[in-house]
């Protein structure tokens, strides 16, 4: 930082600004740039408040506060270049009022790739919703305050294996990620994949994958009970992020 202060910046860009805490944002501000550009998504995850007082007061990240206040009018990028239309549709409808559009070349590229994989009868609708009748539990040890769902973890691992087998070489383990909002479920899914010798498939929390992408994304909700206030599954930002990480399915 001392070496940066010796330089003059015309512009400083802060990416994933919604996840940047107030104290962290003070660092680029202290550089005194002519322009400060915050790039983020108000509908995705915000910086978490670690103090009870901050939570009680509903303190927002600087990015979310600026957007909500209306003091600075944000510019919204509405052309989407990651997912095909069918994959982005649920998130687009729930969070963005249908304003996102998918470039024709992106749609064509994704559909053609999926035709070669042979995973879906309708390559233009590459989504699956699987109802798993599992049971939530709390492990002992380091993740005792977290939640896991053994049956759901096994289904996620099996599904990943099925996808790779069905794709017959068109997809590799490195093209797949399994996302869960609970650290205990991440650990349980990792163990299930290890039993199937699928150790190159990444598994991570929603926080880790904000801003990331993979061709195939499997989301493990772990908990699905309606009305769970304060729980990860009830966090709109996590729902938005988890369901918008894939490029293909």
């Amino acid at each position: 930082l001392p070496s940066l202060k010796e330089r003059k910046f015309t512009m400083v860009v802060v990416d994933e600004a919604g996840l940047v805490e107030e104290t962290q944002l003070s660092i680029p501000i202290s550089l005194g740039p002519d322009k400060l550009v915050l790039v983020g998504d108000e509908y995705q995850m915000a910086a978490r408040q670690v103090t009870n007082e901050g939570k009680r007061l509903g303190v927002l990240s600087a990015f979310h506060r600026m957007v909500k206040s209306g003091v600075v009018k944000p510019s919204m990028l509405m052309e989407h270049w990651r997912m095909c239309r069918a994959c982005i549709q649920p998130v687009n409808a729930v969070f963005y009022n249908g304003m996102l559009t998918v470039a024709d070349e992106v749609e064509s590229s994704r559909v053609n790739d999926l035709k070669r994989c042979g995973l879906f009868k309708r390559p233009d609708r590459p989504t699956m919703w699987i109802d798993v009748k599992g049971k939530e539990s709390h492990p002992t040890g380091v993740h005792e305050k977290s939640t896991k769902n053994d049956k759901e973890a096994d289904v996620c691992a099996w599904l990943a294996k099925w996808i790779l087998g069905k794709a017959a070489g068109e997809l590799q383990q490195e093209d797949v990620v399994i996302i869960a909002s609970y650290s205990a479920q991440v650990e349980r899914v990792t163990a299930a994949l290890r039993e199937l010798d699928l150790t190159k498939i990444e598994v991570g929390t929603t926080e880790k994958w904000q801003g990331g992408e993979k061709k195939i994304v499997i989301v493990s909700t772990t908990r699905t009970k309606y009305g769970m206030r304060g729980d990860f599954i009830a966090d709109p930002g996590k729902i938005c992020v988890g369901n918008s990480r894939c490029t293909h399915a």
Side-chain angles (χ1 to χ4, degrees):
L1 186 60
S3 63
L4 291 177
K5 284 189 173 181
E6 297 172 0
R7 300 170 59 186
K8 174 63 177 176
F9 292 91
T10 303
M11 179 184 295
V12 171
V13 179
V14 180
D15 194 16
E16 294 295 345
L19 290 176
V20 179
E21 298 175 2
E22 194 88 6
T23 52
Q24 295 172 324
L25 187 61
S26 67
I27 297 175
I29 292 176
S30 69
L31 298 176
D34 295 333
K35 295 181 180 179
L36 177 65
V37 180
L38 303 182
V39 182
D41 189 331
E42 62 182 296
Y43 300 109
Q44 295 189 3
M45 290 183 296
R48 293 179 63 185
Q49 294 298 323
V50 296
T51 64
N52 290 330
E53 188 67 9
K55 293 177 182 178
R56 185 183 70 80
L57 294 173
V59 177
L60 301 173
S61 70
F63 174 81
H64 285 79
R65 191 167 66 252
M66 288 180 186
V67 172
K68 190 173 183 179
S69 69
V71 174
V72 179
K73 186 177 181 180
S75 297
M76 182 175 178
L77 303 179
M78 292 184 288
E79 194 168 36
H80 186 77
W81 288 83
R82 174 182 292 147
M83 308 165 73
C84 67
R85 294 186 180 108
C87 286
I88 196 62
Q89 193 275 332
V91 168
N92 194 15
V94 173
F95 295 97
Y96 302 101
N97 294 318
M99 292 188 293
L100 300 182
T101 61
V102 176
D104 289 338
E105 53 263 50
V106 173
E107 178 76 5
S108 177
S109 174
R110 301 294 185 260
V111 171
N112 287 335
D113 288 346
L114 289 167
K115 284 179 180 178
R116 290 194 298 272
C117 292
L119 293 176
F120 299 90
K121 292 181 179 179
R122 289 282 306 270
D124 60 333
R125 295 184 181 180
T127 57
M128 296 181 186
W129 303 85
I130 301 176
D131 185 12
V132 179
K133 305 297 183 182
K135 186 177 180 181
E136 304 163 10
S137 63
H138 301 282
T140 57
V142 66
H143 296 309
E144 62 182 358
K145 293 183 179 181
S146 188
T147 304
K148 67 185 179 77
N149 187 317
D150 292 326
K151 187 171 183 179
E152 189 172 303
D154 290 335
V155 168
C156 287
W158 172 86
L159 181 60
K161 182 178 181 179
W162 178 84
I163 288 172
L164 292 173
K166 186 75 172 177
E170 291 291 335
L171 292 171
Q172 306 302 319
Q173 291 188 40
E174 293 84 353
D175 295 321
V176 182
V177 63
I178 300 177
I179 298 176
S181 290
Y182 301 88
S183 54
Q185 186 71 350
V186 168
E187 186 176 80
R188 180 61 180 80
V189 171
T190 301
L193 289 171
R194 191 161 49 242
E195 291 179 4
L196 297 176
D197 197 27
L198 297 175
T199 56
K200 294 181 181 179
I201 292 178
E202 291 190 65
V203 187
T205 59
T206 317
E207 287 89 347
K208 177 182 177 181
W209 281 92
Q210 177 153 329
E213 64 180 41
K214 285 280 188 179
K215 288 184 177 180
I216 306 295
V217 174
I218 300 171
V219 178
S220 174
T221 60
T222 312
R223 309 186 76 175
T224 55
K225 292 181 179 177
Y226 179 76
M228 300 178 68
R229 280 191 172 184
D231 201 356
F232 290 152
I233 194 64
D235 185 329
K238 287 181 181 288
I239 296 171
C240 181
V241 171
N243 289 280
S244 58
R245 298 304 95 200
C246 74
T247 61
H248 288 69

